Amino acid sequence: FSGTTEGRQLADILDASGICADVCVATGYGHEVMTEGQYRNIYTGRLTEEEMKEKVTIDMEMPFLCVTEELVKELELLEPFGKGNTKPIFAARGVTLLGARILGKKIKAQDANGSVIEAMLFQNVEGFLKNMEETYGRMEVDALLQGRGGHIKIAVTYYPDINEYMGKRTPQIVITHYR
């Protein structure tokens, strides 16, 4: 922001509130609006690709067999989740995608131990399918969408959840990230 109207406004807000914060200056100019020493770190220049990558933190690797209604109830005791108390995120590697229904955003997934579970993917389903097509090919994605998957393997981060449908409660996972 710095060097722009928004950057000057941000600097003014930080200055007026007495907040001591790391400030990133995305261009080589504009840092003159900040008082030296008032902020812990002032960066100038462009962010690198590595600095712009999202950092994903997991609590532990956990097989799908451990995702039960009892586990979900225990995790609910940790609520409310928010900035100081993040929702526990788990990981699984070697996950085979067995089938997918895009309309319902559901994926049938099998972990490396052979446990099968329904998975929900709420974020950018089209981007997910495009990524899978670029990596595995159109035929594999078509097979996945027809419930005949089995060749697409990914790693996922997720949180356990319960699917309630017509009075039936079934453990499921909600995928937060994949690769």
Side-chain angles (χ1 to χ4, degrees), residues 59 76 104 114:
D59 291 285
E76 287 173 352

Side-chain angles (χ1 to χ4, degrees), residues 109-122:
Q110 180 179 34
D111 68 15
N113 299 317
S115 297
V116 177
I117 197 163
E118 290 287 322
M120 298 298 293
L121 179 67
F122 292 114

